[in-house]
Structure formats: C-alpha cells, structure tokens
Amino acid sequence: MTDVARVSAFGRQAANVGRALPFSESVGSPDELPAPLAAALKQALGDEAEAVQLIILSPPFATVGQSSPENVFALTSTRWILVAKTATGTVTSTAPFTAAAVIELTMILLGGQLRIESVGGAAGCAVGFNMVSIELFREALFIMLVGARPAATNPMRGGNIEAELSVLSFKFRTALQEQTPSGVALRDVRSWTSEVSPLARLLFMKPAAPAGVLAVTDCYLGVITDPPAGKEKQHKGKSPHGKIATYVLRQHPLALHLPQPQRRGDSTLRIAIESDVGFALSVPARQIGGIAGLLSALLPPAAA
C-alpha cells in the first residue's frame, strides 16, 4: 500500500465529564465537524459534496500505550476519504472504490480495525475503532462492497450451500449473515476447522490455522476466520474470541498460488492481485482440498 494513513479511532469527548469515551459517531455533513477536519474534508470532496453517503467522526483518545488523533472517515458514491489531525494540521488519504482490492474488518471484543489495500498505486488506510462503533464501520464496508464491480464472469453454484451452512458453528453462521450485504447472493460456501489444540500450539510454538469459512459472491471472495495467534498477541488482554472478515474484490484480475500437497500441518494458498497486494489463506493441510478445488475453478493459476 502507498500513502497509508494509520489511525485508531476511539470516539468523542463526553460533555461535562472531562474524559474521552470510546465511541465514534456519524455526522450529517462536513459543517458538523471541528473546523480543521471540516476544511480538509471539504477540500478533499471538491465538487462531490452532494455525493457524501457516510461521515464517521472519531475525536482524540489517549490511554496507556495507545493513542489516536482526531479523524474523520467519509464515503462518497465513488471513493473513501480519511482525514486525520496532526500536530501541525491534517493529513488526507483518498482512493476510489474501483481501486480497492482487499478490505479487512477485524473484530476482537473491544478493538476493531477497518483496513483497505488498493492497487495501481492508489492510497490505502487502516482505521482503528472501538467495537461499540462496529455498525458504523460495517455500514462503511457495505457501501464499498456495493460500489465494487462484479467479476466479468459469474461462477456457477458449485456446492450445496445449505449443507455447508448446516455444519457451521453458530458463531460463523451468525458472522456470515452479519458480514454479507443485503441483496448479495452467495454462490458457494466452504468451511474448515482448526485441528491443533491450544496446548499443542504452545508446545510446538506454531499457531494452528484458525477455523473459518469461505464465501463466493459475484463481487468478492469473503473469508471469515477466528483471529490467529498473531492477532491475539496484538490485542493483549482482550478476548481471542473475535473474528476477522476479509473481502478480496473480484473487480481486479486474480491469480491463485497453490501450495505443494502435504498431509500434516497447515497449508497456505495465496490469491494474488498485484506483486505486493494479495491475500494469504492458511488451512489445515487435510482440509485444504475443498477450498483449493473451489478457488481453482474460479481463478487462473499464477504464473510460475
């Protein structure tokens, strides 16, 4: 990603309390923002002021080991804009929805993050937020997904979706429902489980591939997983019982890197978009067949 603005959005100042509360909020227009952010957003919008669909304001927050600047994340009908306040002014990042390649929504108890990777040298961003604000950022995610173009050719339904859904845990069935925009049809679904116990993970110092589900739609490949060990460590002190939803947009040419066959451990396949943009999916080796078969039917193999 280039020109990445990384901020953690942790909510508005509580009136008459004197401390920052961990909430972001939606505002109706740039005029409702603090002056520096309003000016920067209006400049970034230019002639698109009437096309604004969503504005999320996140005033400053600071606590031990973590701080975030005042910022605003806005969506028009064609692009996202992130404006963050700095010690000397503001910094702005923006890119069209058509440049978005991978969108990731991390949800781990109180801590969340919306991350966007773009192609063609366009800007990307990572915006952190408290999970109290999840619905606002899920709304932003859905606006971007709806703005994505469908693939040139639609996949044929290749499996029994109802049967696949029936074996999902309540957590993943609910997550799949929550993370699929209204009106988006599922073309196929595959799921897998984690095969290594927490004790084995500790003894062998090798995290297991987290359980997850892959959903195919005309516009994206969606993967929802448990957070891997690395994510749990990054969110020290918070529950590991969260989830990460990643959307690989099919509006760009995608290529599939398949791992060498193996019987034990985890296997990682990669969906490549550009040389430095893509998505790696780790699945227990014994369960990768169905996932690899589905993706192989959809995507061309990557060049050697």
Side-chain angles (χ1 to χ4, degrees):
M1 291 189 295
T2 59
D3 188 24
V4 177
R6 295 191 176 277
V7 300
S8 294
F10 275 93
R12 61 186 178 84
Q13 188 74 22
N16 302 320
V17 177
R19 64 185 178 86
L21 290 179
F23 304 110
S24 302
E25 62 178 342
S26 175
V27 301
S29 75
D31 292 331
E32 299 177 41
L33 298 170
L37 295 178
L41 180 57
K42 287 179 180 179
Q43 182 178 5
L45 285 170
D47 296 333
E48 288 188 274
E50 299 300 320
V52 175
Q53 298 192 66
L54 181 66
I55 301 175
I56 304 175
L57 171 65
S58 299
F61 175 84
T63 187
V64 177
Q66 192 171 30
S67 64
S68 62
E70 189 171 27
N71 69 87
V72 59
F73 185 67
L75 300 176
T76 73
S77 58
T78 61
R79 63 189 174 113
W80 59 264
I81 303 168
L82 176 64
V83 181
K85 194 172 182 180
T86 67
T88 57
T90 60
V91 60
T92 301
S93 292
T94 183
F97 297 155
T98 53
V102 179
I103 306 175
E104 180 186 81
L105 187 64
T106 299
M107 299 158 280
I108 302 180
L109 192 59
L110 295 180
Q113 184 187 78
L114 179 65
R115 184 176 65 87
I116 306 169
E117 288 189 62
S118 300
V119 296
C125 71
V127 186
F129 58 90
N130 187 287
M131 279 292 288
V132 172
S133 308
I134 180 60
E135 292 302 331
L136 283 176
F137 288 91
R138 186 178 284 131
E139 181 182 355
L141 166 69
F142 286 0
I143 289 173
M144 288 184 282
L145 293 180
V146 170
R149 297 171 301 192
T153 56
N154 295 337
M156 295 183 63
R157 179 170 166 175
N160 188 333
I161 294 179
E162 289 74 18
E164 285 288 336
L165 294 178
S166 69
V167 301
L168 286 178
S169 66
F170 175 78
K171 171 183 175 178
F172 279 114
R173 285 199 307 273
T174 302
L176 190 59
Q177 183 178 21
E178 290 176 343
Q179 297 304 137
T180 303
S182 176
V184 173
L186 296 180
R187 301 297 184 183
D188 213 330
V189 176
R190 291 289 190 279
S191 62
W192 62 95
T193 58
S194 180
E195 295 186 346
V196 180
S197 69
L199 177 59
R201 181 186 303 179
L202 177 64
L203 292 176
F204 294 104
M205 303 298 291
K206 183 178 184 297
V213 57
L214 166 68
V216 178
T217 78
D218 294 342
C219 295
Y220 63 80
L221 306 176
V223 178
I224 303 174
T225 68
D226 287 329
K231 288 285 185 181
E232 293 173 16
K233 292 176 181 177
Q234 291 172 23
H235 295 76
K236 186 177 181 180
K238 299 177 181 178
S239 169
H241 304 296
K243 50 189 174 289
I244 300 172
T246 306
Y247 302 80
V248 181
L249 301 187
R250 302 184 64 198
Q251 60 191 359
H252 306 290
L254 307 177
L256 181 64
H257 292 267
L258 286 173
Q260 293 295 321
Q262 59 187 77
R263 295 182 179 181
R264 295 183 179 181
D266 302 334
S267 292
T268 300
L269 50 80
R270 178 175 170 81
I271 300 172
I273 305 169
E274 289 187 344
S275 60
D276 58 344
V277 178
F279 173 68
L281 175 61
S282 293
V283 177
R286 295 194 303 172
Q287 301 181 60
I288 200 170
I291 303 295
L294 173 59
L295 292 176
S296 295
L298 296 175
L299 309 178

PDB file of all heavy atoms in Angstrom, residues 71-105:
ATOM      1  N   ASN A  71      -9.975  12.248  13.873  1.00  0.00           N
ATOM      2  CA  ASN A  71     -10.016  11.914  12.454  1.00  0.00           C
ATOM      3  C   ASN A  71     -11.445  11.770  11.966  1.00  0.00           C
ATOM      4  O   ASN A  71     -12.385  11.641  12.753  1.00  0.00           O
ATOM      5  CB  ASN A  71      -9.224  10.627  12.183  1.00  0.00           C
ATOM      6  CG  ASN A  71      -9.891   9.399  12.770  1.00  0.00           C
ATOM      7  OD1 ASN A  71     -10.735   8.785  12.128  1.00  0.00           O
ATOM      8  ND2 ASN A  71      -9.544   9.047  14.012  1.00  0.00           N
ATOM      9  N   VAL A  72     -11.589  11.769  10.657  1.00  0.00           N
ATOM     10  CA  VAL A  72     -12.891  11.581  10.039  1.00  0.00           C
ATOM     11  C   VAL A  72     -12.721  10.670   8.828  1.00  0.00           C
ATOM     12  O   VAL A  72     -11.773  10.808   8.045  1.00  0.00           O
ATOM     13  CB  VAL A  72     -13.523  12.926   9.625  1.00  0.00           C
ATOM     14  CG1 VAL A  72     -12.645  13.688   8.644  1.00  0.00           C
ATOM     15  CG2 VAL A  72     -14.914  12.710   9.031  1.00  0.00           C
ATOM     16  N   PHE A  73     -13.619   9.686   8.722  1.00  0.00           N
ATOM     17  CA  PHE A  73     -13.619   8.739   7.612  1.00  0.00           C
ATOM     18  C   PHE A  73     -14.925   8.946   6.860  1.00  0.00           C
ATOM     19  O   PHE A  73     -16.011   8.822   7.438  1.00  0.00           O
ATOM     20  CB  PHE A  73     -13.515   7.309   8.130  1.00  0.00           C
ATOM     21  CG  PHE A  73     -13.380   6.263   7.056  1.00  0.00           C
ATOM     22  CD1 PHE A  73     -12.234   6.197   6.276  1.00  0.00           C
ATOM     23  CD2 PHE A  73     -14.391   5.334   6.828  1.00  0.00           C
ATOM     24  CE1 PHE A  73     -12.096   5.234   5.284  1.00  0.00           C
ATOM     25  CE2 PHE A  73     -14.264   4.365   5.848  1.00  0.00           C
ATOM     26  CZ  PHE A  73     -13.110   4.304   5.076  1.00  0.00           C
ATOM     27  N   ALA A  74     -14.836   9.306   5.581  1.00  0.00           N
ATOM     28  CA  ALA A  74     -16.024   9.644   4.806  1.00  0.00           C
ATOM     29  C   ALA A  74     -16.086   8.828   3.526  1.00  0.00           C
ATOM     30  O   ALA A  74     -15.055   8.451   2.954  1.00  0.00           O
ATOM     31  CB  ALA A  74     -16.021  11.136   4.465  1.00  0.00           C
ATOM     32  N   LEU A  75     -17.310   8.577   3.066  1.00  0.00           N
ATOM     33  CA  LEU A  75     -17.535   7.851   1.830  1.00  0.00           C
ATOM     34  C   LEU A  75     -18.459   8.657   0.926  1.00  0.00           C
ATOM     35  O   LEU A  75     -19.499   9.154   1.374  1.00  0.00           O
ATOM     36  CB  LEU A  75     -18.188   6.494   2.108  1.00  0.00           C
ATOM     37  CG  LEU A  75     -17.417   5.512   2.994  1.00  0.00           C
ATOM     38  CD1 LEU A  75     -18.259   4.276   3.232  1.00  0.00           C
ATOM     39  CD2 LEU A  75     -16.086   5.145   2.382  1.00  0.00           C
ATOM     40  N   THR A  76     -18.066   8.800  -0.319  1.00  0.00           N
ATOM     41  CA  THR A  76     -18.954   9.386  -1.322  1.00  0.00           C
ATOM     42  C   THR A  76     -19.562   8.223  -2.111  1.00  0.00           C
ATOM     43  O   THR A  76     -19.455   7.063  -1.708  1.00  0.00           O
ATOM     44  CB  THR A  76     -18.199  10.330  -2.270  1.00  0.00           C
ATOM     45  OG1 THR A  76     -17.389   9.565  -3.162  1.00  0.00           O
ATOM     46  CG2 THR A  76     -17.326  11.301  -1.489  1.00  0.00           C
ATOM     47  N   SER A  77     -20.130   8.496  -3.241  1.00  0.00           N
ATOM     48  CA  SER A  77     -20.683   7.420  -4.061  1.00  0.00           C
ATOM     49  C   SER A  77     -19.601   6.669  -4.827  1.00  0.00           C
ATOM     50  O   SER A  77     -19.858   5.593  -5.378  1.00  0.00           O
ATOM     51  CB  SER A  77     -21.704   7.989  -5.054  1.00  0.00           C
ATOM     52  OG  SER A  77     -21.093   8.974  -5.879  1.00  0.00           O
ATOM     53  N   THR A  78     -18.364   7.212  -4.842  1.00  0.00           N
ATOM     54  CA  THR A  78     -17.314   6.589  -5.653  1.00  0.00           C
ATOM     55  C   THR A  78     -16.000   6.346  -4.928  1.00  0.00           C
ATOM     56  O   THR A  78     -15.149   5.613  -5.430  1.00  0.00           O
ATOM     57  CB  THR A  78     -17.002   7.456  -6.885  1.00  0.00           C
ATOM     58  OG1 THR A  78     -16.534   8.748  -6.455  1.00  0.00           O
ATOM     59  CG2 THR A  78     -18.228   7.624  -7.763  1.00  0.00           C
ATOM     60  N   ARG A  79     -15.779   6.954  -3.738  1.00  0.00           N
ATOM     61  CA  ARG A  79     -14.475   6.825  -3.088  1.00  0.00           C
ATOM     62  C   ARG A  79     -14.573   7.026  -1.584  1.00  0.00           C
ATOM     63  O   ARG A  79     -15.569   7.508  -1.066  1.00  0.00           O
ATOM     64  CB  ARG A  79     -13.477   7.832  -3.672  1.00  0.00           C
ATOM     65  CG  ARG A  79     -13.863   9.292  -3.452  1.00  0.00           C
ATOM     66  CD  ARG A  79     -12.959  10.236  -4.226  1.00  0.00           C
ATOM     67  NE  ARG A  79     -13.386  11.616  -4.136  1.00  0.00           N
ATOM     68  CZ  ARG A  79     -12.698  12.575  -3.515  1.00  0.00           C
ATOM     69  NH1 ARG A  79     -11.548  12.308  -2.921  1.00  0.00           N
ATOM     70  NH2 ARG A  79     -13.152  13.827  -3.496  1.00  0.00           N
ATOM     71  N   TRP A  80     -13.481   6.608  -0.885  1.00  0.00           N
ATOM     72  CA  TRP A  80     -13.364   6.859   0.548  1.00  0.00           C
ATOM     73  C   TRP A  80     -12.339   7.966   0.772  1.00  0.00           C
ATOM     74  O   TRP A  80     -11.431   8.172  -0.029  1.00  0.00           O
ATOM     75  CB  TRP A  80     -12.966   5.594   1.305  1.00  0.00           C
ATOM     76  CG  TRP A  80     -11.653   4.973   0.876  1.00  0.00           C
ATOM     77  CD1 TRP A  80     -11.472   3.954  -0.013  1.00  0.00           C
ATOM     78  CD2 TRP A  80     -10.338   5.366   1.309  1.00  0.00           C
ATOM     79  NE1 TRP A  80     -10.127   3.687  -0.160  1.00  0.00           N
ATOM     80  CE2 TRP A  80      -9.408   4.528   0.644  1.00  0.00           C
ATOM     81  CE3 TRP A  80      -9.854   6.331   2.195  1.00  0.00           C
ATOM     82  CZ2 TRP A  80      -8.027   4.624   0.837  1.00  0.00           C
ATOM     83  CZ3 TRP A  80      -8.475   6.437   2.392  1.00  0.00           C
ATOM     84  CH2 TRP A  80      -7.583   5.591   1.713  1.00  0.00           C
ATOM     85  N   ILE A  81     -12.504   8.686   1.892  1.00  0.00           N
ATOM     86  CA  ILE A  81     -11.593   9.769   2.269  1.00  0.00           C
ATOM     87  C   ILE A  81     -11.309   9.642   3.759  1.00  0.00           C
ATOM     88  O   ILE A  81     -12.230   9.513   4.567  1.00  0.00           O
ATOM     89  CB  ILE A  81     -12.206  11.155   1.990  1.00  0.00           C
ATOM     90  CG1 ILE A  81     -12.598  11.306   0.518  1.00  0.00           C
ATOM     91  CG2 ILE A  81     -11.235  12.264   2.388  1.00  0.00           C
ATOM     92  CD1 ILE A  81     -13.455  12.529   0.239  1.00  0.00           C
ATOM     93  N   LEU A  82     -10.038   9.695   4.138  1.00  0.00           N
ATOM     94  CA  LEU A  82      -9.639   9.683   5.542  1.00  0.00           C
ATOM     95  C   LEU A  82      -8.843  10.948   5.834  1.00  0.00           C
ATOM     96  O   LEU A  82      -7.837  11.213   5.170  1.00  0.00           O
ATOM     97  CB  LEU A  82      -8.797   8.447   5.863  1.00  0.00           C
ATOM     98  CG  LEU A  82      -8.226   8.368   7.281  1.00  0.00           C
ATOM     99  CD1 LEU A  82      -9.344   8.281   8.313  1.00  0.00           C
ATOM    100  CD2 LEU A  82      -7.290   7.166   7.422  1.00  0.00           C
ATOM    101  N   VAL A  83      -9.295  11.726   6.793  1.00  0.00           N
ATOM    102  CA  VAL A  83      -8.591  12.928   7.227  1.00  0.00           C
ATOM    103  C   VAL A  83      -8.244  12.765   8.701  1.00  0.00           C
ATOM    104  O   VAL A  83      -9.136  12.529   9.527  1.00  0.00           O
ATOM    105  CB  VAL A  83      -9.436  14.201   7.044  1.00  0.00           C
ATOM    106  CG1 VAL A  83      -8.649  15.428   7.501  1.00  0.00           C
ATOM    107  CG2 VAL A  83      -9.869  14.362   5.584  1.00  0.00           C
ATOM    108  N   ALA A  84      -6.973  12.861   9.042  1.00  0.00           N
ATOM    109  CA  ALA A  84      -6.524  12.732  10.429  1.00  0.00           C
ATOM    110  C   ALA A  84      -5.820  14.012  10.865  1.00  0.00           C
ATOM    111  O   ALA A  84      -5.056  14.607  10.093  1.00  0.00           O
ATOM    112  CB  ALA A  84      -5.580  11.545  10.578  1.00  0.00           C
ATOM    113  N   LYS A  85      -6.072  14.433  12.077  1.00  0.00           N
ATOM    114  CA  LYS A  85      -5.453  15.635  12.613  1.00  0.00           C
ATOM    115  C   LYS A  85      -4.032  15.320  13.070  1.00  0.00           C
ATOM    116  O   LYS A  85      -3.756  14.267  13.640  1.00  0.00           O
ATOM    117  CB  LYS A  85      -6.274  16.173  13.786  1.00  0.00           C
ATOM    118  CG  LYS A  85      -5.916  17.581  14.210  1.00  0.00           C
ATOM    119  CD  LYS A  85      -6.899  18.109  15.244  1.00  0.00           C
ATOM    120  CE  LYS A  85      -6.570  19.544  15.651  1.00  0.00           C
ATOM    121  NZ  LYS A  85      -7.544  20.045  16.658  1.00  0.00           N
ATOM    122  N   THR A  86      -3.095  16.242  12.803  1.00  0.00           N
ATOM    123  CA  THR A  86      -1.704  16.083  13.224  1.00  0.00           C
ATOM    124  C   THR A  86      -1.307  17.286  14.076  1.00  0.00           C
ATOM    125  O   THR A  86      -2.082  18.220  14.265  1.00  0.00           O
ATOM    126  CB  THR A  86      -0.771  15.997  12.008  1.00  0.00           C
ATOM    127  OG1 THR A  86      -0.761  17.268  11.339  1.00  0.00           O
ATOM    128  CG2 THR A  86      -1.233  14.931  11.032  1.00  0.00           C
ATOM    129  N   ALA A  87      -0.080  17.268  14.565  1.00  0.00           N
ATOM    130  CA  ALA A  87       0.398  18.364  15.407  1.00  0.00           C
ATOM    131  C   ALA A  87       0.481  19.673  14.630  1.00  0.00           C
ATOM    132  O   ALA A  87       0.399  20.761  15.214  1.00  0.00           O
ATOM    133  CB  ALA A  87       1.766  18.011  15.989  1.00  0.00           C
ATOM    134  N   THR A  88       0.626  19.570  13.316  1.00  0.00           N
ATOM    135  CA  THR A  88       0.795  20.783  12.504  1.00  0.00           C
ATOM    136  C   THR A  88      -0.378  21.070  11.569  1.00  0.00           C
ATOM    137  O   THR A  88      -0.363  22.046  10.829  1.00  0.00           O
ATOM    138  CB  THR A  88       2.072  20.670  11.659  1.00  0.00           C
ATOM    139  OG1 THR A  88       1.999  19.499  10.842  1.00  0.00           O
ATOM    140  CG2 THR A  88       3.301  20.584  12.558  1.00  0.00           C
ATOM    141  N   GLY A  89      -1.387  20.205  11.580  1.00  0.00           N
ATOM    142  CA  GLY A  89      -2.523  20.410  10.677  1.00  0.00           C
ATOM    143  C   GLY A  89      -3.310  19.137  10.488  1.00  0.00           C
ATOM    144  O   GLY A  89      -3.737  18.509  11.459  1.00  0.00           O
ATOM    145  N   THR A  90      -3.480  18.719   9.253  1.00  0.00           N
ATOM    146  CA  THR A  90      -4.195  17.492   8.940  1.00  0.00           C
ATOM    147  C   THR A  90      -3.495  16.763   7.808  1.00  0.00           C
ATOM    148  O   THR A  90      -2.732  17.353   7.045  1.00  0.00           O
ATOM    149  CB  THR A  90      -5.655  17.768   8.517  1.00  0.00           C
ATOM    150  OG1 THR A  90      -5.656  18.602   7.359  1.00  0.00           O
ATOM    151  CG2 THR A  90      -6.457  18.423   9.642  1.00  0.00           C
ATOM    152  N   VAL A  91      -3.743  15.451   7.708  1.00  0.00           N
ATOM    153  CA  VAL A  91      -3.250  14.652   6.590  1.00  0.00           C
ATOM    154  C   VAL A  91      -4.442  13.936   5.977  1.00  0.00           C
ATOM    155  O   VAL A  91      -5.327  13.465   6.697  1.00  0.00           O
ATOM    156  CB  VAL A  91      -2.181  13.637   7.049  1.00  0.00           C
ATOM    157  CG1 VAL A  91      -2.725  12.672   8.087  1.00  0.00           C
ATOM    158  CG2 VAL A  91      -1.609  12.871   5.862  1.00  0.00           C
ATOM    159  N   THR A  92      -4.482  13.878   4.653  1.00  0.00           N
ATOM    160  CA  THR A  92      -5.622  13.315   3.947  1.00  0.00           C
ATOM    161  C   THR A  92      -5.186  12.180   3.032  1.00  0.00           C
ATOM    162  O   THR A  92      -4.178  12.289   2.329  1.00  0.00           O
ATOM    163  CB  THR A  92      -6.323  14.394   3.094  1.00  0.00           C
ATOM    164  OG1 THR A  92      -6.767  15.456   3.936  1.00  0.00           O
ATOM    165  CG2 THR A  92      -7.521  13.811   2.354  1.00  0.00           C
ATOM    166  N   SER A  93      -5.938  11.082   3.056  1.00  0.00           N
ATOM    167  CA  SER A  93      -5.750   9.982   2.111  1.00  0.00           C
ATOM    168  C   SER A  93      -7.089   9.695   1.456  1.00  0.00           C
ATOM    169  O   SER A  93      -8.133   9.764   2.115  1.00  0.00           O
ATOM    170  CB  SER A  93      -5.248   8.715   2.823  1.00  0.00           C
ATOM    171  OG  SER A  93      -3.934   8.883   3.297  1.00  0.00           O
ATOM    172  N   THR A  94      -7.086   9.349   0.181  1.00  0.00           N
ATOM    173  CA  THR A  94      -8.322   9.041  -0.524  1.00  0.00           C
ATOM    174  C   THR A  94      -8.033   8.135  -1.701  1.00  0.00           C
ATOM    175  O   THR A  94      -6.927   8.153  -2.262  1.00  0.00           O
ATOM    176  CB  THR A  94      -9.028  10.325  -1.007  1.00  0.00           C
ATOM    177  OG1 THR A  94     -10.272   9.981  -1.637  1.00  0.00           O
ATOM    178  CG2 THR A  94      -8.162  11.093  -1.982  1.00  0.00           C
ATOM    179  N   ALA A  95      -9.011   7.297  -2.061  1.00  0.00           N
ATOM    180  CA  ALA A  95      -8.879   6.427  -3.227  1.00  0.00           C
ATOM    181  C   ALA A  95     -10.272   6.008  -3.681  1.00  0.00           C
ATOM    182  O   ALA A  95     -11.197   5.910  -2.872  1.00  0.00           O
ATOM    183  CB  ALA A  95      -8.039   5.188  -2.901  1.00  0.00           C
ATOM    184  N   PRO A  96     -10.445   5.746  -4.969  1.00  0.00           N
ATOM    185  CA  PRO A  96     -11.753   5.305  -5.464  1.00  0.00           C
ATOM    186  C   PRO A  96     -12.055   3.868  -5.059  1.00  0.00           C
ATOM    187  O   PRO A  96     -11.140   3.067  -4.843  1.00  0.00           O
ATOM    188  CB  PRO A  96     -11.605   5.432  -6.986  1.00  0.00           C
ATOM    189  CG  PRO A  96     -10.147   5.297  -7.236  1.00  0.00           C
ATOM    190  CD  PRO A  96      -9.466   5.920  -6.048  1.00  0.00           C
ATOM    191  N   PHE A  97     -13.345   3.554  -4.962  1.00  0.00           N
ATOM    192  CA  PHE A  97     -13.749   2.181  -4.657  1.00  0.00           C
ATOM    193  C   PHE A  97     -13.207   1.216  -5.698  1.00  0.00           C
ATOM    194  O   PHE A  97     -12.907   0.061  -5.388  1.00  0.00           O
ATOM    195  CB  PHE A  97     -15.273   2.063  -4.611  1.00  0.00           C
ATOM    196  CG  PHE A  97     -15.934   2.890  -3.538  1.00  0.00           C
ATOM    197  CD1 PHE A  97     -17.250   3.293  -3.678  1.00  0.00           C
ATOM    198  CD2 PHE A  97     -15.254   3.255  -2.383  1.00  0.00           C
ATOM    199  CE1 PHE A  97     -17.877   4.051  -2.698  1.00  0.00           C
ATOM    200  CE2 PHE A  97     -15.863   4.016  -1.403  1.00  0.00           C
ATOM    201  CZ  PHE A  97     -17.177   4.415  -1.556  1.00  0.00           C
ATOM    202  N   THR A  98     -13.084   1.666  -6.936  1.00  0.00           N
ATOM    203  CA  THR A  98     -12.622   0.792  -8.006  1.00  0.00           C
ATOM    204  C   THR A  98     -11.171   0.366  -7.828  1.00  0.00           C
ATOM    205  O   THR A  98     -10.727  -0.601  -8.459  1.00  0.00           O
ATOM    206  CB  THR A  98     -12.783   1.476  -9.375  1.00  0.00           C
ATOM    207  OG1 THR A  98     -12.143   2.763  -9.331  1.00  0.00           O
ATOM    208  CG2 THR A  98     -14.251   1.657  -9.724  1.00  0.00           C
ATOM    209  N   ALA A  99     -10.412   1.093  -6.994  1.00  0.00           N
ATOM    210  CA  ALA A  99      -9.013   0.723  -6.736  1.00  0.00           C
ATOM    211  C   ALA A  99      -8.896  -0.243  -5.566  1.00  0.00           C
ATOM    212  O   ALA A  99      -7.853  -0.881  -5.386  1.00  0.00           O
ATOM    213  CB  ALA A  99      -8.170   1.963  -6.459  1.00  0.00           C
ATOM    214  N   ALA A 100      -9.940  -0.365  -4.737  1.00  0.00           N
ATOM    215  CA  ALA A 100      -9.889  -1.244  -3.568  1.00  0.00           C
ATOM    216  C   ALA A 100      -9.735  -2.691  -4.015  1.00  0.00           C
ATOM    217  O   ALA A 100     -10.431  -3.155  -4.918  1.00  0.00           O
ATOM    218  CB  ALA A 100     -11.137  -1.075  -2.719  1.00  0.00           C
ATOM    219  N   ALA A 101      -8.816  -3.407  -3.387  1.00  0.00           N
ATOM    220  CA  ALA A 101      -8.554  -4.793  -3.761  1.00  0.00           C
ATOM    221  C   ALA A 101      -8.836  -5.755  -2.612  1.00  0.00           C
ATOM    222  O   ALA A 101      -9.411  -6.827  -2.810  1.00  0.00           O
ATOM    223  CB  ALA A 101      -7.104  -4.947  -4.211  1.00  0.00           C
ATOM    224  N   VAL A 102      -8.410  -5.393  -1.410  1.00  0.00           N
ATOM    225  CA  VAL A 102      -8.642  -6.211  -0.220  1.00  0.00           C
ATOM    226  C   VAL A 102      -9.166  -5.297   0.876  1.00  0.00           C
ATOM    227  O   VAL A 102      -8.556  -4.272   1.176  1.00  0.00           O
ATOM    228  CB  VAL A 102      -7.350  -6.911   0.267  1.00  0.00           C
ATOM    229  CG1 VAL A 102      -7.633  -7.735   1.518  1.00  0.00           C
ATOM    230  CG2 VAL A 102      -6.771  -7.795  -0.831  1.00  0.00           C
ATOM    231  N   ILE A 103     -10.296  -5.659   1.456  1.00  0.00           N
ATOM    232  CA  ILE A 103     -10.861  -4.916   2.579  1.00  0.00           C
ATOM    233  C   ILE A 103     -10.973  -5.877   3.757  1.00  0.00           C
ATOM    234  O   ILE A 103     -11.563  -6.946   3.631  1.00  0.00           O
ATOM    235  CB  ILE A 103     -12.240  -4.322   2.249  1.00  0.00           C
ATOM    236  CG1 ILE A 103     -12.177  -3.473   0.979  1.00  0.00           C
ATOM    237  CG2 ILE A 103     -12.742  -3.476   3.418  1.00  0.00           C
ATOM    238  CD1 ILE A 103     -13.530  -2.944   0.535  1.00  0.00           C
ATOM    239  N   GLU A 104     -10.402  -5.490   4.891  1.00  0.00           N
ATOM    240  CA  GLU A 104     -10.367  -6.365   6.065  1.00  0.00           C
ATOM    241  C   GLU A 104     -11.032  -5.677   7.246  1.00  0.00           C
ATOM    242  O   GLU A 104     -10.722  -4.530   7.563  1.00  0.00           O
ATOM    243  CB  GLU A 104      -8.927  -6.713   6.405  1.00  0.00           C
ATOM    244  CG  GLU A 104      -8.774  -7.618   7.620  1.00  0.00           C
ATOM    245  CD  GLU A 104      -7.320  -7.817   7.997  1.00  0.00           C
ATOM    246  OE1 GLU A 104      -6.753  -6.926   8.657  1.00  0.00           O
ATOM    247  OE2 GLU A 104      -6.748  -8.853   7.608  1.00  0.00           O
ATOM    248  N   LEU A 105     -11.935  -6.380   7.894  1.00  0.00           N
ATOM    249  CA  LEU A 105     -12.601  -5.883   9.089  1.00  0.00           C
ATOM    250  C   LEU A 105     -12.250  -6.809  10.243  1.00  0.00           C
ATOM    251  O   LEU A 105     -12.671  -7.965  10.278  1.00  0.00           O
ATOM    252  CB  LEU A 105     -14.116  -5.832   8.882  1.00  0.00           C
ATOM    253  CG  LEU A 105     -14.945  -5.185   9.993  1.00  0.00           C
ATOM    254  CD1 LEU A 105     -14.597  -3.695  10.130  1.00  0.00           C
ATOM    255  CD2 LEU A 105     -16.436  -5.354   9.722  1.00  0.00           C
TER     256      LEU A 105
END
